Amino acid sequence: MGQTFTVEWDWVTKFVKDVFMAYGIPEEDADICTDVLLASDRKGIESHGVNRFKPIYLDRIKAGIQHPETNFEVVRETPTTAVVDGHDGMGQVIGYKAMQMAIDKAKEFGMGMVAVRNSTHYGIAGYYTDMAAKAGCIGMTGTNARPSIAPTFGVENMLGTNPLTLGFPTDEDFPFSLDCATSISQRGKIEYYARIGQDTPAGMVIGRDGKAMTDSPEILEALVNGQAALAPLGGIGEELAGYKGYGYATFVEVLSAALQQGNFLHMLSGIGENGEKQKFHLGHFFIAIDTEAFVGLDSFKKTAGDILRALRNSEVAPGEERIYTAGEKEHLVWLERKDTGLPLNEGVQQEMIAIRDELGWTDYKLPFE
């Protein structure tokens, strides 16, 4: 088995879906979970793709801290808003249904917003803003998470990586999609560094002693036990405007908890008083704004596209090849991967073998064996 092996999309899609179903996820929900998971790999964002299949989703189902069957309960609703309780089901299913509800409301009334409580990790946030963009809407979403960001002038992990994710349609082949954490890096990136045996770049993580940490496995352990924290977007302190990332992360935390009476900050640690694993009870929010309610979709897309093209066509810095706009690099990765397949690193290959063996699929041969 080589270090990297490229598998066909049809194969990996079927394998992931089959495994999700084997873990008790209904087929319709398994389709959603699979699509969200692989959307990350289609964009080339390995930190949220099949790298997280076993440790984030399967292992948590086995541990009983999230449920394979999703009870999507609308607890309060108006024509333009809703509050949903996900009852710790599959975050991807909760996210998909919540954003679809926001889009449906926007299509009828111009805008829609859905706030969610008691959810789980919902995968790549840009999936949901892409949903909105495909429907002709401006999309926004955010989620809180396990504490890992220190506030400006602090060293204690208080806020989650809390992505503030934005997207909208354009007249080009891909939407504008800005999907990034409000920390310098997200936990998933460090998990990826640890998986491939690479140090985390200095400056992304601060220890309780105020010094930078770079050992990836050590950082992951220290983030859990509170001995390390991620720097907010912009860095520690005010000199590089770290207060901006801190402020954005706080905004996401509030919209992921206060509108739906959900959990927040250290309540989201996933660790009980005696060190046992427990449910995360995450919160999310989803906003859709219908462009037809303003100037119409085609007009909006043309102006948006003109702005993005003007940015890309502006003067390039010496030594750089070109300028990109948000979502473009991910689109280029998909153009490259859609016909070649998905490259799997050796760690993921070993996890897939372990999953297969644990399920007792004795006749199921994996293509990289």
Side-chain angles (χ1 to χ4, degrees):
M1 184 170 63
Q3 189 171 5
T4 301
F5 190 95
T6 299
V7 297
E8 295 180 354
W9 288 104
D10 286 347
W11 179 86
V12 72
T13 299
K14 184 178 187 305
F15 178 80
V16 170
K17 178 183 174 180
D18 286 348
V19 172
F20 272 139
M21 292 176 63
Y23 270 69
I25 299 173
E27 182 172 7
E28 183 177 342
D29 291 355
D31 282 327
I32 295 171
C33 292
T34 300
D35 198 46
V36 176
L37 185 76
L38 294 181
S40 188
D41 289 308
R42 290 194 291 268
K43 290 172 177 278
I45 305 173
E46 281 84 0
S47 61
H48 281 60
V50 289
N51 275 286
R52 286 196 158 186
F53 183 35
K54 181 181 183 296
I56 297 297
Y57 305 111
L58 303 185
D59 287 356
R60 290 180 181 179
I61 292 173
K62 284 176 61 179
I65 59 175
Q66 75 179 67
H67 305 302
E69 294 189 13
T70 301
N71 176 13
F72 185 87
E73 181 189 8
V74 180
V75 296
R76 185 170 182 175
E77 186 172 13
T78 74
T80 58
T81 66
V83 176
V84 168
D85 193 319
H87 295 284
D88 304 296
M90 298 303 295
Q92 302 100 319
V93 177
I94 297 165
Y96 178 89
K97 291 183 176 181
M99 179 51 95
Q100 189 59 57
M101 178 180 283
I103 292 169
D104 291 343
K105 289 178 179 296
K107 286 297 180 181
E108 187 170 0
F109 298 104
M111 295 186 184
M113 180 173 184
V114 177
V116 172
R117 69 186 183 215
N118 296 327
S119 186
T120 57
H121 192 278
Y122 73 170
I124 183 173
Y127 183 92
Y128 308 105
T129 54
D130 283 352
M131 283 178 62
K134 288 175 184 176
C137 294
I138 298 166
M140 289 179 259
T141 186
T143 179
N144 56 19
R146 292 178 291 179
S148 53
I149 296 179
T152 299
F153 301 134
V155 295
E156 182 180 359
N157 51 357
M158 295 294 294
L159 294 152
T161 49
N162 293 13
L164 179 58
T165 303
L166 313 168
F168 53 77
T170 76
D171 62 354
E172 299 184 305
D173 292 335
F174 56 94
F176 177 93
S177 180
L178 182 63
D179 180 3
C180 50
T182 49
S183 58
I184 285 182
S185 179
Q186 73 271 37
R187 186 189 297 265
K189 178 66 73 173
I190 298 170
E191 290 171 350
Y192 178 65
Y193 288 144
R195 188 184 297 274
I196 65 175
Q198 182 175 323
D199 281 347
T200 297
M204 289 185 175
V205 181
I206 187 170
R208 278 296 180 103
D209 59 1
K211 297 179 181 178
M213 298 179 66
T214 58
D215 185 285
S216 299
E218 181 184 355
I219 288 170
L220 292 174
E221 183 178 344
L223 286 172
V224 172
N225 63 31
Q227 296 305 303
L230 300 176
L233 193 63
I236 297 297
E238 291 187 334
E239 188 172 3
L240 295 176
Y243 61 87
K244 295 182 180 180
Y246 168 37
Y248 288 134
T250 304
F251 174 81
V252 173
E253 191 80 20
V254 171
L255 265 65
S256 298
L259 288 171
Q260 54 279 73
Q261 294 182 308
N263 288 7
F264 54 87
L265 299 179
H266 284 299
M267 298 164 70
L268 305 170
S269 68
I271 305 296
E273 292 182 1
N274 300 315
E276 73 278 10
K277 293 181 180 179
Q278 63 182 19
K279 294 173 181 176
F280 289 98
H281 303 307
L282 301 184
H284 322 304
F285 65 90
F286 304 85
I287 300 172
I289 303 169
D290 188 16
T291 57
E292 287 289 356
F294 292 84
V295 294
L297 176 59
D298 289 342
S299 180
F300 175 89
K301 289 169 67 173
K302 173 65 166 57
T303 301
D306 287 345
I307 292 170
L308 299 181
R309 285 184 288 274
L311 290 170
R312 291 200 295 265
N313 291 330
S314 63
E315 186 174 354
V316 178
E320 300 296 336
E321 291 186 4
R322 54 162 299 186
I323 294 168
Y324 297 88
T325 52
E328 183 180 11
K329 284 188 175 182
E330 291 81 358
H331 176 66
L332 294 175
V333 169
W334 172 238
L335 292 181
E336 180 182 330
R337 286 187 171 183
K338 65 184 180 70
D339 295 323
T340 60
L342 172 62
L344 301 178
N345 64 50
E346 190 168 359
V348 172
Q349 294 173 45
Q350 294 290 354
E351 285 185 349
M352 287 183 167
I353 291 172
I355 292 167
R356 186 272 316 274
D357 292 346
E358 182 180 316
L359 290 171
W361 292 351
T362 54
D363 296 331
Y364 200 124
K365 184 171 177 59
L366 304 178
F368 39 78
E369 289 185 291

